[in-house]
Amino acid sequence: MDNNDKPVLIDMQHVVKVFPPDVVALNDVSVDFRQGEIHAIVGENGAGKSTLMKILYAMENMNAGEIFYNAKPVHFQSTGDAIANGIGMVHQEILLIPEYSIWENVVLGLEPTRGFGKLDEKKAIADVLEKIDEFGFHLDPLALVKDISVAAQQKVEILKLLYRNVSVLIMDEPTAVLTPQEIPQLFDELRRLRDNGHTILFISHHLDEVLDLSDRITVLQKGKMIGTVTSKSTSKKELARMMVGREVIFSSIRKPCQHGDTVFEARNICYRDEDKVERLKDINFTVSSGEIVGIAGVEGNGQFELVNTIMGLITPQSGSIFVQGKDITEEPILERRKLLSYVSQDRKTMGSSASAPISENMIMTHHKLEKRFQKWNGLVLNFHEVTKFAEEIRKRFSVNMGAPGAPFQSLSGGNQQKVILGRELSLSSPFVLLDQPTRGLDVGSIEYVHEQILGMRDQQRAILMLSSDLDELFRIADRLLVLYRGKIVADLITGKTTINEIGYLMLEGTIHEN
Amino acid sequence: MNVIIGLINGMITGATPILLAALGGTMTYYAGIFNIAMEGMMLGGAFFAVLGSYYFESWVVGILFAILGSLLMALIFILFSVKLKTDEFVTGVALNLFALGATTYMLRQIFGVKGAFASPGIVPIPDIDIPLLEDIPVLGQILSGHNLLVYVGLIATILCHYLIYKTRFGLRLRAAGYNTNCLDTSGVRSDRIRTISVILCGIFCGLAGSFLSLGYVTLFSENMSAGKGWISLAAIILVNGNPWGIALISLIFGFSDGLGLLLQQYLPSQFTSMVPYIATLIALYVYSSRKKKEKFS
């Protein structure tokens, strides 16, 4: 069916949203969504995708503009109002009660009752089961939400909206929490919903996914509407250009590397956790200056423990860690930080203090290691220097931010990551540990981060990078290690292996015999 | 035999105010409010119970006044911690101190006495003899002839269990405690659920307070709740808010209360009156170590 035949269901006209004091999140955005289509909204972090959808869902107010729904102007007072009118949103993070069963989660807020406010359990379960069967979701309504997979939890979220007879589903980056195997299944379900007449609005920055799934694609760039295209008539390259405003290179950008001396060495590291489970088994590897070593592996195979061992958050039962020949296995964290930079995979809790000012997040660690930030023997901070430093990082890493005193959480995800990278890369440490440095970032920001990492390599730093994105590892790492059940099962030169080979190693720990 | 029956009856009497206050507190516990104001609500209730009973010469009015007095405390709690989003713990401490000061002040201003006010004019809540049951030997002596509020406590336990686990309100109440955002996005205003839970807590604490001043004894004395609100908090935490569990723990605390009295023959009363507070400390220790485990798991 050609999309142009479908009637327009939602028409958002000239939407403007300003976050005080001066951040323009949406600048005169006009977009229409048709009945029964899957419509993707793409853009870099901070482009305004989520804000636009939140305005439609009445989670945010708009400063100007109009929304037409079925050709009538509407103004929803609350998200409940939006749901009652058939528009529902599945948020990025799962919002369910783990202790409740699936049916309890689904009916919460709209429970069938008998006299005296008694829950009509039978009817509720029957109703939920009917919806599960109608949409082919394969869920057991009696199962507790905490016992089911994230993908199934996401289905419960969708089910919850379908139970409320929602016909427009807004999905905010639904694939971010899924494993690669779970994504096609979700897409099949979304397609089935579309074929049933539901309209799906889909926020994403994974261009492959978007092209695979959606009928039409709207591109936003820094709060401005760039255009709406049909996915049949576009390509990944074109979309990337529309998003970023320039060409994006997807192929490998590695240059031949010149190794220096060994900077980092892990020697015979073994770690057993509190439950006596062996998490790291005899880990041995080195990283030389001017080298990027990537660690691949399915999550939960020891990456978390390895990173924490290097950072000193856990102490291994045996083995040692050396940086520039110095044994840091037992050193306190501040001593380690003189030798290593660290970008954690968890921006929100480990990498930053979300409610502290941006400037304070920028000088963390620096304020301890560098004299220029201290006054009165380190009793007070030298705020003049702090402001100067914040300005330096803002310029060098082109952070899009308000005043340095604004809270860190006011930044978009990409800019948060830039601040953290800026802070860590400004340290003069010889060894850099990067744990999922581009998770949750858009193509433009990822490219930028990769350039920065390669730039560090050129400064002869030793870089260890953990990533669940194999493309990323192949793009910039010189050497690849594969972690499988707490062991390093392979140490390969990137140019001499393939994604397939690494994939087998990740899943089975050995190379498939052929 | 009579000693044992006396001890059991003492246990039941001692358990009742703790049970009633804890049933109120369990509502806020499930709603995710760290409510420590049961002590203050109870004390307010106890004072107003005497006020109502003395001036209107009716225990019914006494109970009504107790509920109103306790509700007044609950409304202050709602205003600050639910509406103005102040810290629940600090609000609770303030409310407990306020209740102590206000009742002591009013005792002196209204009744013109210091320490305690007792008068034949205060009408106590009657004891209830259950026909037929009272005639059974031993069992009748244990089950019959208790204060009206003892039976109210039993019925309230059953009702609370039903309310929390079987009704629509209960589902939403527990959801408010588990995940406020989830409840809000489901179209239920969590603020309202929390408000209702505090109001229910106020009503129960009012009943508990009226039992203190019109049931247990027939007088009001300064700080007569004497830590029972804290013990009720400990009871809730120990059993994760389960009403039947609370009933059991209340009986144990009631027993330790009676034991404290018994021990007074051998130990200075200053030591025996420590028993409830030591029990609370133990309860909070259990709570904190359980929380720690949750955090790391």
Side-chain angles (χ1 to χ4, degrees), chain A residues 83 95-97 99-100 104 108-109 111 113 117-119 160 164, chain B residues 162 166-168 171-172 174-175 178-179 181-183 185-186 188:
Chain A
I83 291 173
L95 266 181
L96 294 171
I97 295 173
E99 292 85 353
Y100 277 8
E104 283 172 319
L108 181 65
E111 307 88 343
T113 53
K118 186 180 188 327
L119 267 181
K160 196 169 163 178
R164 288 159 167 75
Chain B
Y162 178 79
K166 297 285 175 203
T167 65
R168 176 165 74 181
L171 190 73
R172 293 176 176 184
R174 284 178 290 140
Y178 283 131
N179 189 339
N181 281 337
C182 175
L183 188 62
T185 53
S186 302
V188 181

PDB file of all heavy atoms in Angstrom, chain A residues 83 95-97 99-100 104 108-109 111 113 117-119 160 164, chain B residues 162 166-168 171-172 174-175 178-179 181-183 185-186 188:
ATOM      1  N   ILE A  83      -3.914   9.300  26.680  1.00  0.00           N
ATOM      2  CA  ILE A  83      -4.230   7.870  26.587  1.00  0.00           C
ATOM      3  C   ILE A  83      -5.715   7.677  26.309  1.00  0.00           C
ATOM      4  O   ILE A  83      -6.105   6.878  25.455  1.00  0.00           O
ATOM      5  CB  ILE A  83      -3.803   7.129  27.882  1.00  0.00           C
ATOM      6  CG1 ILE A  83      -2.276   7.097  27.977  1.00  0.00           C
ATOM      7  CG2 ILE A  83      -4.357   5.714  27.909  1.00  0.00           C
ATOM      8  CD1 ILE A  83      -1.750   6.545  29.276  1.00  0.00           C
ATOM      9  N   LEU A  95       8.940   1.113  32.799  1.00  0.00           N
ATOM     10  CA  LEU A  95       8.217   1.651  33.944  1.00  0.00           C
ATOM     11  C   LEU A  95       7.176   0.650  34.395  1.00  0.00           C
ATOM     12  O   LEU A  95       5.993   0.821  34.169  1.00  0.00           O
ATOM     13  CB  LEU A  95       7.510   2.953  33.548  1.00  0.00           C
ATOM     14  CG  LEU A  95       8.250   4.255  33.807  1.00  0.00           C
ATOM     15  CD1 LEU A  95       7.411   5.428  33.392  1.00  0.00           C
ATOM     16  CD2 LEU A  95       8.637   4.379  35.266  1.00  0.00           C
ATOM     17  N   LEU A  96       7.638  -0.427  34.982  1.00  0.00           N
ATOM     18  CA  LEU A  96       6.705  -1.438  35.473  1.00  0.00           C
ATOM     19  C   LEU A  96       7.044  -1.734  36.923  1.00  0.00           C
ATOM     20  O   LEU A  96       8.079  -1.313  37.423  1.00  0.00           O
ATOM     21  CB  LEU A  96       6.839  -2.721  34.649  1.00  0.00           C
ATOM     22  CG  LEU A  96       6.431  -2.651  33.187  1.00  0.00           C
ATOM     23  CD1 LEU A  96       6.828  -3.935  32.485  1.00  0.00           C
ATOM     24  CD2 LEU A  96       4.946  -2.412  33.031  1.00  0.00           C
ATOM     25  N   ILE A  97       6.167  -2.446  37.575  1.00  0.00           N
ATOM     26  CA  ILE A  97       6.434  -2.831  38.957  1.00  0.00           C
ATOM     27  C   ILE A  97       6.906  -4.285  38.962  1.00  0.00           C
ATOM     28  O   ILE A  97       6.133  -5.193  38.683  1.00  0.00           O
ATOM     29  CB  ILE A  97       5.186  -2.629  39.817  1.00  0.00           C
ATOM     30  CG1 ILE A  97       4.884  -1.129  39.865  1.00  0.00           C
ATOM     31  CG2 ILE A  97       5.388  -3.190  41.204  1.00  0.00           C
ATOM     32  CD1 ILE A  97       3.606  -0.762  40.517  1.00  0.00           C
ATOM     33  N   GLU A  99       7.603  -6.395  41.154  1.00  0.00           N
ATOM     34  CA  GLU A  99       7.011  -7.314  42.131  1.00  0.00           C
ATOM     35  C   GLU A  99       5.599  -7.741  41.728  1.00  0.00           C
ATOM     36  O   GLU A  99       5.044  -8.661  42.321  1.00  0.00           O
ATOM     37  CB  GLU A  99       6.961  -6.655  43.511  1.00  0.00           C
ATOM     38  CG  GLU A  99       8.326  -6.418  44.137  1.00  0.00           C
ATOM     39  CD  GLU A  99       8.968  -5.118  43.677  1.00  0.00           C
ATOM     40  OE1 GLU A  99       8.407  -4.448  42.770  1.00  0.00           O
ATOM     41  OE2 GLU A  99      10.037  -4.762  44.209  1.00  0.00           O
ATOM     42  N   TYR A 100       5.014  -7.065  40.765  1.00  0.00           N
ATOM     43  CA  TYR A 100       3.659  -7.398  40.339  1.00  0.00           C
ATOM     44  C   TYR A 100       3.695  -8.379  39.167  1.00  0.00           C
ATOM     45  O   TYR A 100       4.657  -8.412  38.402  1.00  0.00           O
ATOM     46  CB  TYR A 100       2.913  -6.128  39.901  1.00  0.00           C
ATOM     47  CG  TYR A 100       2.291  -5.341  41.028  1.00  0.00           C
ATOM     48  CD1 TYR A 100       2.537  -5.653  42.355  1.00  0.00           C
ATOM     49  CD2 TYR A 100       1.434  -4.279  40.759  1.00  0.00           C
ATOM     50  CE1 TYR A 100       1.972  -4.920  43.377  1.00  0.00           C
ATOM     51  CE2 TYR A 100       0.854  -3.538  41.778  1.00  0.00           C
ATOM     52  CZ  TYR A 100       1.134  -3.862  43.088  1.00  0.00           C
ATOM     53  OH  TYR A 100       0.568  -3.134  44.091  1.00  0.00           O
ATOM     54  N   GLU A 104      -1.341  -7.731  36.665  1.00  0.00           N
ATOM     55  CA  GLU A 104      -1.503  -6.615  37.607  1.00  0.00           C
ATOM     56  C   GLU A 104      -0.914  -5.333  37.036  1.00  0.00           C
ATOM     57  O   GLU A 104      -1.485  -4.247  37.156  1.00  0.00           O
ATOM     58  CB  GLU A 104      -0.834  -6.950  38.945  1.00  0.00           C
ATOM     59  CG  GLU A 104      -1.648  -7.909  39.788  1.00  0.00           C
ATOM     60  CD  GLU A 104      -0.902  -8.385  41.032  1.00  0.00           C
ATOM     61  OE1 GLU A 104       0.308  -8.665  40.940  1.00  0.00           O
ATOM     62  OE2 GLU A 104      -1.537  -8.479  42.084  1.00  0.00           O
ATOM     63  N   LEU A 108      -3.301  -2.049  36.083  1.00  0.00           N
ATOM     64  CA  LEU A 108      -3.133  -0.996  37.081  1.00  0.00           C
ATOM     65  C   LEU A 108      -3.641   0.353  36.558  1.00  0.00           C
ATOM     66  O   LEU A 108      -3.240   0.822  35.507  1.00  0.00           O
ATOM     67  CB  LEU A 108      -1.656  -0.866  37.465  1.00  0.00           C
ATOM     68  CG  LEU A 108      -1.332   0.180  38.530  1.00  0.00           C
ATOM     69  CD1 LEU A 108      -1.956  -0.187  39.865  1.00  0.00           C
ATOM     70  CD2 LEU A 108       0.166   0.357  38.681  1.00  0.00           C
ATOM     71  N   GLY A 109      -4.554   0.948  37.314  1.00  0.00           N
ATOM     72  CA  GLY A 109      -5.117   2.236  36.913  1.00  0.00           C
ATOM     73  C   GLY A 109      -6.433   2.094  36.188  1.00  0.00           C
ATOM     74  O   GLY A 109      -7.177   3.066  36.022  1.00  0.00           O
ATOM     75  N   GLU A 111      -8.596  -0.980  36.631  1.00  0.00           N
ATOM     76  CA  GLU A 111      -8.856  -2.328  37.096  1.00  0.00           C
ATOM     77  C   GLU A 111     -10.351  -2.644  37.064  1.00  0.00           C
ATOM     78  O   GLU A 111     -11.165  -1.827  37.477  1.00  0.00           O
ATOM     79  CB  GLU A 111      -8.355  -2.487  38.539  1.00  0.00           C
ATOM     80  CG  GLU A 111      -6.911  -2.082  38.773  1.00  0.00           C
ATOM     81  CD  GLU A 111      -6.751  -0.604  39.109  1.00  0.00           C
ATOM     82  OE1 GLU A 111      -7.700   0.173  38.860  1.00  0.00           O
ATOM     83  OE2 GLU A 111      -5.694  -0.223  39.618  1.00  0.00           O
ATOM     84  N   THR A 113     -13.529  -4.166  38.668  1.00  0.00           N
ATOM     85  CA  THR A 113     -13.832  -4.454  40.072  1.00  0.00           C
ATOM     86  C   THR A 113     -15.237  -5.017  40.200  1.00  0.00           C
ATOM     87  O   THR A 113     -16.078  -4.863  39.320  1.00  0.00           O
ATOM     88  CB  THR A 113     -13.768  -3.184  40.944  1.00  0.00           C
ATOM     89  OG1 THR A 113     -14.603  -2.187  40.348  1.00  0.00           O
ATOM     90  CG2 THR A 113     -12.369  -2.678  41.074  1.00  0.00           C
ATOM     91  N   GLY A 117     -15.145  -2.369  45.856  1.00  0.00           N
ATOM     92  CA  GLY A 117     -13.806  -2.103  45.332  1.00  0.00           C
ATOM     93  C   GLY A 117     -12.933  -3.343  45.239  1.00  0.00           C
ATOM     94  O   GLY A 117     -11.718  -3.248  45.130  1.00  0.00           O
ATOM     95  N   LYS A 118     -13.549  -4.524  45.272  1.00  0.00           N
ATOM     96  CA  LYS A 118     -12.755  -5.756  45.177  1.00  0.00           C
ATOM     97  C   LYS A 118     -12.305  -5.953  43.733  1.00  0.00           C
ATOM     98  O   LYS A 118     -13.085  -5.820  42.798  1.00  0.00           O
ATOM     99  CB  LYS A 118     -13.609  -6.936  45.630  1.00  0.00           C
ATOM    100  CG  LYS A 118     -12.826  -8.244  45.696  1.00  0.00           C
ATOM    101  CD  LYS A 118     -13.751  -9.360  46.141  1.00  0.00           C
ATOM    102  CE  LYS A 118     -13.061 -10.668  46.429  1.00  0.00           C
ATOM    103  NZ  LYS A 118     -11.902 -11.006  45.654  1.00  0.00           N
ATOM    104  N   LEU A 119     -11.039  -6.274  43.592  1.00  0.00           N
ATOM    105  CA  LEU A 119     -10.499  -6.548  42.266  1.00  0.00           C
ATOM    106  C   LEU A 119     -11.189  -7.762  41.669  1.00  0.00           C
ATOM    107  O   LEU A 119     -11.316  -8.788  42.322  1.00  0.00           O
ATOM    108  CB  LEU A 119      -9.013  -6.879  42.378  1.00  0.00           C
ATOM    109  CG  LEU A 119      -8.000  -5.772  42.217  1.00  0.00           C
ATOM    110  CD1 LEU A 119      -6.611  -6.364  42.357  1.00  0.00           C
ATOM    111  CD2 LEU A 119      -8.143  -5.106  40.882  1.00  0.00           C
ATOM    112  N   LYS A 160       0.090  -2.909  27.987  1.00  0.00           N
ATOM    113  CA  LYS A 160      -0.590  -2.004  28.906  1.00  0.00           C
ATOM    114  C   LYS A 160      -1.319  -0.907  28.124  1.00  0.00           C
ATOM    115  O   LYS A 160      -2.434  -0.516  28.467  1.00  0.00           O
ATOM    116  CB  LYS A 160       0.471  -1.390  29.822  1.00  0.00           C
ATOM    117  CG  LYS A 160      -0.069  -0.731  31.047  1.00  0.00           C
ATOM    118  CD  LYS A 160       1.072  -0.416  31.998  1.00  0.00           C
ATOM    119  CE  LYS A 160       0.609   0.592  33.003  1.00  0.00           C
ATOM    120  NZ  LYS A 160       1.642   0.916  33.995  1.00  0.00           N
ATOM    121  N   ARG A 164      -5.586  -0.312  27.065  1.00  0.00           N
ATOM    122  CA  ARG A 164      -6.310   0.955  27.156  1.00  0.00           C
ATOM    123  C   ARG A 164      -6.824   1.406  25.788  1.00  0.00           C
ATOM    124  O   ARG A 164      -7.164   2.577  25.610  1.00  0.00           O
ATOM    125  CB  ARG A 164      -5.398   2.020  27.763  1.00  0.00           C
ATOM    126  CG  ARG A 164      -5.168   1.793  29.241  1.00  0.00           C
ATOM    127  CD  ARG A 164      -3.922   2.484  29.750  1.00  0.00           C
ATOM    128  NE  ARG A 164      -3.873   2.502  31.204  1.00  0.00           N
ATOM    129  CZ  ARG A 164      -3.579   1.455  31.971  1.00  0.00           C
ATOM    130  NH1 ARG A 164      -3.298   0.299  31.423  1.00  0.00           N
ATOM    131  NH2 ARG A 164      -3.566   1.555  33.281  1.00  0.00           N
TER     132      ARG A 164
ATOM    133  N   TYR B 162      -7.610  -7.480  53.700  1.00  0.00           N
ATOM    134  CA  TYR B 162      -8.474  -7.468  52.516  1.00  0.00           C
ATOM    135  C   TYR B 162      -8.198  -6.235  51.662  1.00  0.00           C
ATOM    136  O   TYR B 162      -8.006  -6.327  50.445  1.00  0.00           O
ATOM    137  CB  TYR B 162      -9.929  -7.494  52.990  1.00  0.00           C
ATOM    138  CG  TYR B 162     -10.950  -7.435  51.882  1.00  0.00           C
ATOM    139  CD1 TYR B 162     -11.256  -8.573  51.149  1.00  0.00           C
ATOM    140  CD2 TYR B 162     -11.590  -6.251  51.577  1.00  0.00           C
ATOM    141  CE1 TYR B 162     -12.187  -8.527  50.129  1.00  0.00           C
ATOM    142  CE2 TYR B 162     -12.524  -6.193  50.558  1.00  0.00           C
ATOM    143  CZ  TYR B 162     -12.821  -7.328  49.845  1.00  0.00           C
ATOM    144  OH  TYR B 162     -13.736  -7.278  48.827  1.00  0.00           O
ATOM    145  N   LYS B 166      -6.577  -7.380  48.264  1.00  0.00           N
ATOM    146  CA  LYS B 166      -7.681  -7.861  47.426  1.00  0.00           C
ATOM    147  C   LYS B 166      -8.417  -6.767  46.661  1.00  0.00           C
ATOM    148  O   LYS B 166      -9.257  -7.069  45.822  1.00  0.00           O
ATOM    149  CB  LYS B 166      -8.709  -8.604  48.309  1.00  0.00           C
ATOM    150  CG  LYS B 166      -8.168  -9.843  48.983  1.00  0.00           C
ATOM    151  CD  LYS B 166      -8.015 -10.988  47.988  1.00  0.00           C
ATOM    152  CE  LYS B 166      -7.351 -12.163  48.665  1.00  0.00           C
ATOM    153  NZ  LYS B 166      -6.708 -13.045  47.701  1.00  0.00           N
ATOM    154  N   THR B 167      -8.162  -5.528  46.988  1.00  0.00           N
ATOM    155  CA  THR B 167      -8.977  -4.485  46.363  1.00  0.00           C
ATOM    156  C   THR B 167      -8.180  -3.660  45.359  1.00  0.00           C
ATOM    157  O   THR B 167      -6.951  -3.741  45.297  1.00  0.00           O
ATOM    158  CB  THR B 167      -9.529  -3.496  47.417  1.00  0.00           C
ATOM    159  OG1 THR B 167      -8.416  -2.813  47.986  1.00  0.00           O
ATOM    160  CG2 THR B 167     -10.312  -4.221  48.489  1.00  0.00           C
ATOM    161  N   ARG B 168      -8.929  -2.899  44.597  1.00  0.00           N
ATOM    162  CA  ARG B 168      -8.312  -1.995  43.635  1.00  0.00           C
ATOM    163  C   ARG B 168      -7.434  -0.976  44.357  1.00  0.00           C
ATOM    164  O   ARG B 168      -6.321  -0.689  43.944  1.00  0.00           O
ATOM    165  CB  ARG B 168      -9.415  -1.277  42.852  1.00  0.00           C
ATOM    166  CG  ARG B 168      -8.876  -0.260  41.896  1.00  0.00           C
ATOM    167  CD  ARG B 168      -9.920   0.158  40.922  1.00  0.00           C
ATOM    168  NE  ARG B 168     -10.907   1.035  41.524  1.00  0.00           N
ATOM    169  CZ  ARG B 168     -11.937   1.529  40.867  1.00  0.00           C
ATOM    170  NH1 ARG B 168     -12.144   1.201  39.613  1.00  0.00           N
ATOM    171  NH2 ARG B 168     -12.779   2.332  41.452  1.00  0.00           N
ATOM    172  N   LEU B 171      -4.116  -2.490  45.322  1.00  0.00           N
ATOM    173  CA  LEU B 171      -3.187  -2.641  44.199  1.00  0.00           C
ATOM    174  C   LEU B 171      -2.482  -1.310  43.922  1.00  0.00           C
ATOM    175  O   LEU B 171      -1.280  -1.255  43.696  1.00  0.00           O
ATOM    176  CB  LEU B 171      -3.957  -3.102  42.957  1.00  0.00           C
ATOM    177  CG  LEU B 171      -3.113  -3.543  41.772  1.00  0.00           C
ATOM    178  CD1 LEU B 171      -2.471  -4.891  42.046  1.00  0.00           C
ATOM    179  CD2 LEU B 171      -3.943  -3.604  40.502  1.00  0.00           C
ATOM    180  N   ARG B 172      -3.274  -0.241  43.964  1.00  0.00           N
ATOM    181  CA  ARG B 172      -2.701   1.081  43.694  1.00  0.00           C
ATOM    182  C   ARG B 172      -1.819   1.539  44.847  1.00  0.00           C
ATOM    183  O   ARG B 172      -0.789   2.183  44.642  1.00  0.00           O
ATOM    184  CB  ARG B 172      -3.825   2.086  43.464  1.00  0.00           C
ATOM    185  CG  ARG B 172      -4.595   1.779  42.194  1.00  0.00           C
ATOM    186  CD  ARG B 172      -5.763   2.701  42.004  1.00  0.00           C
ATOM    187  NE  ARG B 172      -6.407   2.423  40.729  1.00  0.00           N
ATOM    188  CZ  ARG B 172      -7.411   3.121  40.251  1.00  0.00           C
ATOM    189  NH1 ARG B 172      -7.906   4.138  40.930  1.00  0.00           N
ATOM    190  NH2 ARG B 172      -7.944   2.818  39.086  1.00  0.00           N
ATOM    191  N   ARG B 174      -0.021  -0.294  46.919  1.00  0.00           N
ATOM    192  CA  ARG B 174       1.282  -0.953  46.868  1.00  0.00           C
ATOM    193  C   ARG B 174       2.095  -0.448  45.685  1.00  0.00           C
ATOM    194  O   ARG B 174       3.309  -0.304  45.763  1.00  0.00           O
ATOM    195  CB  ARG B 174       1.095  -2.477  46.795  1.00  0.00           C
ATOM    196  CG  ARG B 174       0.692  -3.078  48.142  1.00  0.00           C
ATOM    197  CD  ARG B 174       0.465  -4.565  48.043  1.00  0.00           C
ATOM    198  NE  ARG B 174      -0.743  -4.870  47.276  1.00  0.00           N
ATOM    199  CZ  ARG B 174      -0.833  -5.865  46.418  1.00  0.00           C
ATOM    200  NH1 ARG B 174       0.187  -6.666  46.230  1.00  0.00           N
ATOM    201  NH2 ARG B 174      -1.955  -6.075  45.747  1.00  0.00           N
ATOM    202  N   ALA B 175       1.393  -0.155  44.585  1.00  0.00           N
ATOM    203  CA  ALA B 175       2.090   0.376  43.409  1.00  0.00           C
ATOM    204  C   ALA B 175       2.752   1.707  43.750  1.00  0.00           C
ATOM    205  O   ALA B 175       3.861   1.988  43.304  1.00  0.00           O
ATOM    206  CB  ALA B 175       1.114   0.543  42.249  1.00  0.00           C
ATOM    207  N   TYR B 178       5.966   0.862  45.399  1.00  0.00           N
ATOM    208  CA  TYR B 178       6.957   0.220  44.530  1.00  0.00           C
ATOM    209  C   TYR B 178       7.534   1.193  43.515  1.00  0.00           C
ATOM    210  O   TYR B 178       8.724   1.264  43.323  1.00  0.00           O
ATOM    211  CB  TYR B 178       6.332  -0.959  43.785  1.00  0.00           C
ATOM    212  CG  TYR B 178       6.158  -2.203  44.626  1.00  0.00           C
ATOM    213  CD1 TYR B 178       4.955  -2.882  44.646  1.00  0.00           C
ATOM    214  CD2 TYR B 178       7.215  -2.699  45.371  1.00  0.00           C
ATOM    215  CE1 TYR B 178       4.795  -4.032  45.401  1.00  0.00           C
ATOM    216  CE2 TYR B 178       7.069  -3.836  46.131  1.00  0.00           C
ATOM    217  CZ  TYR B 178       5.860  -4.511  46.141  1.00  0.00           C
ATOM    218  OH  TYR B 178       5.717  -5.639  46.885  1.00  0.00           O
ATOM    219  N   ASN B 179       6.678   1.899  42.825  1.00  0.00           N
ATOM    220  CA  ASN B 179       7.158   2.763  41.748  1.00  0.00           C
ATOM    221  C   ASN B 179       6.134   3.857  41.453  1.00  0.00           C
ATOM    222  O   ASN B 179       5.148   3.637  40.761  1.00  0.00           O
ATOM    223  CB  ASN B 179       7.413   1.925  40.495  1.00  0.00           C
ATOM    224  CG  ASN B 179       8.106   2.708  39.403  1.00  0.00           C
ATOM    225  OD1 ASN B 179       8.057   3.941  39.397  1.00  0.00           O
ATOM    226  ND2 ASN B 179       8.743   2.020  38.494  1.00  0.00           N
ATOM    227  N   ASN B 181       6.355   6.541  39.632  1.00  0.00           N
ATOM    228  CA  ASN B 181       6.240   6.931  38.224  1.00  0.00           C
ATOM    229  C   ASN B 181       5.314   6.005  37.468  1.00  0.00           C
ATOM    230  O   ASN B 181       4.533   6.434  36.625  1.00  0.00           O
ATOM    231  CB  ASN B 181       7.605   6.892  37.555  1.00  0.00           C
ATOM    232  CG  ASN B 181       8.400   8.114  37.894  1.00  0.00           C
ATOM    233  OD1 ASN B 181       7.809   9.144  38.245  1.00  0.00           O
ATOM    234  ND2 ASN B 181       9.703   8.021  37.813  1.00  0.00           N
ATOM    235  N   CYS B 182       5.434   4.719  37.774  1.00  0.00           N
ATOM    236  CA  CYS B 182       4.616   3.732  37.088  1.00  0.00           C
ATOM    237  C   CYS B 182       3.151   4.005  37.365  1.00  0.00           C
ATOM    238  O   CYS B 182       2.312   3.970  36.472  1.00  0.00           O
ATOM    239  CB  CYS B 182       4.999   2.332  37.545  1.00  0.00           C
ATOM    240  SG  CYS B 182       3.953   1.055  36.861  1.00  0.00           S
ATOM    241  N   LEU B 183       2.839   4.301  38.617  1.00  0.00           N
ATOM    242  CA  LEU B 183       1.454   4.552  38.986  1.00  0.00           C
ATOM    243  C   LEU B 183       0.940   5.817  38.295  1.00  0.00           C
ATOM    244  O   LEU B 183      -0.159   5.838  37.750  1.00  0.00           O
ATOM    245  CB  LEU B 183       1.346   4.691  40.512  1.00  0.00           C
ATOM    246  CG  LEU B 183      -0.065   4.761  41.059  1.00  0.00           C
ATOM    247  CD1 LEU B 183      -0.820   3.487  40.754  1.00  0.00           C
ATOM    248  CD2 LEU B 183      -0.049   5.012  42.556  1.00  0.00           C
ATOM    249  N   THR B 185       2.001   7.204  35.526  1.00  0.00           N
ATOM    250  CA  THR B 185       1.824   7.025  34.093  1.00  0.00           C
ATOM    251  C   THR B 185       0.686   6.057  33.791  1.00  0.00           C
ATOM    252  O   THR B 185       0.234   5.983  32.654  1.00  0.00           O
ATOM    253  CB  THR B 185       3.111   6.508  33.416  1.00  0.00           C
ATOM    254  OG1 THR B 185       3.536   5.336  34.100  1.00  0.00           O
ATOM    255  CG2 THR B 185       4.202   7.537  33.451  1.00  0.00           C
ATOM    256  N   SER B 186       0.218   5.324  34.811  1.00  0.00           N
ATOM    257  CA  SER B 186      -0.945   4.471  34.600  1.00  0.00           C
ATOM    258  C   SER B 186      -2.237   5.259  34.756  1.00  0.00           C
ATOM    259  O   SER B 186      -3.322   4.703  34.676  1.00  0.00           O
ATOM    260  CB  SER B 186      -0.942   3.315  35.596  1.00  0.00           C
ATOM    261  OG  SER B 186       0.231   2.572  35.463  1.00  0.00           O
ATOM    262  N   VAL B 188      -3.102   7.078  37.512  1.00  0.00           N
ATOM    263  CA  VAL B 188      -3.559   7.229  38.892  1.00  0.00           C
ATOM    264  C   VAL B 188      -2.637   8.230  39.573  1.00  0.00           C
ATOM    265  O   VAL B 188      -1.421   8.108  39.472  1.00  0.00           O
ATOM    266  CB  VAL B 188      -3.489   5.891  39.661  1.00  0.00           C
ATOM    267  CG1 VAL B 188      -3.988   6.080  41.088  1.00  0.00           C
ATOM    268  CG2 VAL B 188      -4.299   4.835  38.950  1.00  0.00           C
TER     269      VAL B 188
END
